[in-house]
């Protein structure tokens, strides 16, 4: 497959944030070996307390020295390893994934970033991982408690807020059939609907700022995905979501991107146009692929392909693998094999990025959303053609 060569659309992305796609033939055998290699590296690097070393790129001054969370910490790594094992994508020592209980104890003793009920950087995500791995109902019960305690979160987004814990209730209901989880989902969804503003956006009060974010991690797209789990409100959600997508889309011909924050330029306020899963077209497509107009979704996918892999690395949140989920979703939506080919091309490239980063830093990157195990999950999806985004579509 030819690499993206279009240089006429740089107004919709920042070329400095991307690198040329390395053209390679899709190699299924190599991809399976790379998944196992990532797993083996993670297994060899786990510390005596069941934690992995924090990667230097993932540390800011004042950050905790031990990370337990789903997003950045050991719970996310263990959940990814358990998922790869359960699907047959890799061989994983069962005694290692059982350490999820000690990670939960570690979090409760010394919470990352302060105690929170949040999904990706709080306790809910860790107990969801513990339930997924162990099947112990006590963890599901704790998630229910946390979701109800988090109903008044002012962040209004998936990572910390009510939408994230409401999403957890949806997945627990799917797995257990226990009506209490469906009731908790309804409570959260009603609160989210009431907070959904007239312009089709939520207001986030996050990290000391007030904003109206659009992407899946911190804003509109993620919230809409949560509300779309309720069949009775699906059509109303679709209508409101379509209006916001069309209003905020930035177009160049058939190519489409979205700013990180509604009502701002593509490059505001960070000075770099983001074309990532967390902010920009890839995440909007990967999250709203079946809710927004197909023309916009395809335009976002074309923009993602034209921009190419991300310089930031291979991971899910703001890396090449995360962007590739837009292609997998479009393959599911359209049935066009072109999108699966493009997803696999990004997968091959992401493997090279993992290898280069490991050589540069002398270690792997051990986290779900920024690190290597997230890439392994993406490679597994490329192998079987699935498009489920970790912890959004599957738990």
């Amino acid at each position: 497959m030819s690499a993206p060569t279009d240089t006429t659309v740089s107004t919709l992305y920042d070329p400095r944030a991307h690198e040329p796609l390395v053209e390679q033939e899709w190699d299924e055998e190599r991809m399976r070996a790379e998944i196992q290699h990532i797993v083996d590296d993670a297994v060899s690097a786990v510390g005596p307390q069941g934690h992995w070393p924090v990667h230097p790129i993932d540390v800011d001054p004042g950050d905790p020295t031990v990370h337990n969370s789903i997003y950045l910490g050991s719970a996310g790594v263990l959940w990814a390893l358990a998922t790869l094992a359960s699907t047959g994508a890799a061989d994983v020592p069962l005694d290692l994934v059982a350490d999820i209980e000690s990670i939960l104890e570690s979090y409760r003793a010394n919470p990352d970033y302060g105690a929170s009920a949040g999904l990706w950087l709080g306790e809910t995500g860790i107990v969801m991982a513990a339930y997924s791995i162990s099947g112990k109902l006590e963890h599901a019960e704790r998630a229910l408690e946390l979701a109800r305690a988090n109903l008044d979160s002012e962040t209004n987004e998936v990572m910390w807020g009510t939408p994230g814990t409401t999403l957890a209730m949806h997945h627990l209901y799917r797995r257990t059939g226990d009506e209490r989880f469906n009731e908790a989902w309804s409570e959260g969804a009603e609160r989210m609907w009431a907070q959904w503003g007239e312009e089709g956006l939520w207001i986030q009060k996050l990290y000391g700022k007030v904003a109206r974010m659009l992407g899946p991690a911190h804003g509109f797209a993620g919230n809409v995905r949560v509300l779309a789990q309720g069949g009775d409100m699906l059509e109303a959600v679709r209508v409101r979501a379509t209006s916001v997508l069309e209003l905020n889309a930035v177009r160049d011909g058939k190519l489409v991107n979205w700013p990180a924050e509604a009502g701002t330029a593509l490059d505001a306020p960070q000075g770099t146009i983001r074309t990532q899963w967390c902010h920009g077209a890839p995440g909007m497509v990967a999250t709203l692929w079946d809710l927004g107009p197909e023309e916009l979704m395809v335009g976002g996918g074309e923009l993602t392909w034209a921009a190419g892999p991300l310089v930031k690395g291979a991971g899910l949140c703001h890396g090449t693998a995360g962007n590739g989920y837009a292609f997998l979703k479009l393959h599911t939506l359209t049935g066009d094999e072109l999108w699966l080919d493009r997803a696999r091309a990004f997968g091959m490239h992401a493997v090279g990025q993992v290898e280069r980063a490991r050589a540069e830093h002398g270690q792997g990157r051990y986290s779900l959303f920024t690190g290597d195990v997230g890439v392994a999950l993406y490679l597994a999806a490329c192998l079987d053609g699935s498009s489920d985004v970790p912890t959004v579509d599957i738990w």
Side-chain angles (χ1 to χ4, degrees):
M1 156 171 287
S2 298
T5 58
D6 194 332
T7 59
T8 66
V9 294
S10 61
T11 56
L12 293 191
Y13 69 91
D14 187 342
R16 297 170 299 174
H18 301 269
E19 62 187 37
L21 177 71
V22 178
E23 293 192 63
Q24 306 166 80
E25 290 292 329
W26 171 247
D27 187 337
E28 180 174 330
E29 184 175 344
R30 181 189 172 195
M31 290 302 99
R32 294 189 186 281
E34 292 292 348
I35 292 170
Q36 189 63 55
H37 182 58
I38 289 172
V39 169
D40 292 343
D41 177 63
V43 170
S44 69
V46 66
Q49 304 302 316
H51 290 94
W52 277 269
V54 180
H55 198 277
I57 296 177
D58 289 329
V59 177
D60 291 321
D63 278 0
T65 57
V66 172
H67 288 191
N68 301 290
S69 70
I70 281 290
Y71 179 85
L72 203 57
S74 298
V77 178
L78 290 173
W79 179 83
L81 294 176
T83 301
L84 290 166
S86 69
T87 58
D91 294 325
V92 181
L94 295 180
D95 59 337
L96 176 61
V97 296
D99 281 346
I100 189 66
E101 303 288 348
S102 65
I103 300 306
L104 182 54
E105 292 174 6
S106 172
Y107 175 83
R108 288 171 174 167
N110 189 19
D112 314 6
Y113 304 99
S116 166
L119 183 65
W120 287 338
L121 283 172
E123 187 179 349
T124 297
I126 304 174
V127 296
M128 286 290 292
Y131 174 70
S132 178
I133 291 169
S134 71
K136 293 180 181 178
L137 288 176
E138 65 191 75
H139 298 309
E141 295 288 345
R142 177 59 178 161
L144 179 60
E145 293 175 6
L146 291 165
R148 287 175 169 161
N150 205 41
L151 277 175
D152 294 326
S153 172
E154 64 180 12
T155 62
N156 275 332
E157 42 80 76
V158 171
M159 182 171 279
W160 298 96
T162 303
T165 45
T166 301
L167 179 64
M169 294 301 97
H170 164 71
H171 285 291
L172 286 174
Y173 177 61
R174 286 178 60 188
R175 291 190 63 156
T176 67
D178 188 327
E179 193 61 35
R180 292 177 303 151
F181 298 117
N182 192 38
E183 291 170 358
W185 178 88
S186 296
E187 291 171 1
E190 288 171 6
R191 188 265 188 192
M192 290 173 61
W193 186 267
Q195 295 287 330
W196 200 352
E198 292 182 1
E199 296 181 13
L201 297 162
W202 286 265
I203 295 173
Q204 287 82 38
K205 296 181 180 178
L206 190 66
Y207 307 135
K209 299 179 180 179
V210 178
R212 298 184 302 167
M213 309 300 289
L214 288 174
H218 286 315
F220 159 81
N223 293 5
V224 169
R225 186 77 262 163
V226 175
L227 289 178
Q229 310 302 339
D232 292 345
M233 60 198 321
L234 179 58
E235 192 53 38
V237 169
R238 189 193 308 277
V239 170
R240 297 191 76 178
T242 295
S243 176
V244 175
L245 284 167
E246 292 176 337
L247 180 64
N248 289 277
V250 183
R251 306 167 188 256
D252 189 334
K254 294 183 178 180
L255 301 161
V256 182
N257 205 351
W258 286 267
E261 185 175 346
T264 66
L266 280 177
D267 61 351
Q270 68 277 0
T272 300
I273 301 173
R274 299 192 192 184
T275 306
Q276 305 170 174
W277 177 83
C278 52
H279 300 291
M284 301 296 280
V285 174
T287 310
L288 303 178
W289 61 282
D290 57 341
L291 297 171
E294 184 171 325
E295 170 257 337
L296 284 182
M297 298 296 100
V298 170
E302 292 289 359
L303 185 278
T304 303
W305 177 250
L310 282 158
V311 171
K312 285 183 177 181
L316 296 180
C317 184
H318 36 264
T320 300
N323 282 18
Y325 272 104
F327 305 145
L328 290 174
K329 289 296 190 184
L330 288 170
H331 176 244
T332 299
L333 176 68
T334 67
D336 190 337
E337 292 293 312
L338 170 70
W339 295 111
L340 181 58
D341 291 342
R342 288 178 171 182
R344 289 173 168 174
F346 267 39
M348 295 287 288
H349 189 96
V351 164
Q353 290 180 302
V354 168
E355 293 171 345
R356 292 197 305 272
R358 189 181 293 124
E360 178 183 353
H361 296 282
Q363 68 168 81
R365 197 170 179 180
Y366 307 111
S367 63
L368 173 56
F369 273 90
T370 66
D372 302 346
V373 292
V375 178
L377 289 170
Y378 175 70
L379 297 178
C382 286
L383 284 166
D384 63 21
S386 66
S387 61
D388 288 338
V389 177
T391 75
V392 177
D393 300 319
I394 52 169
W395 267 99

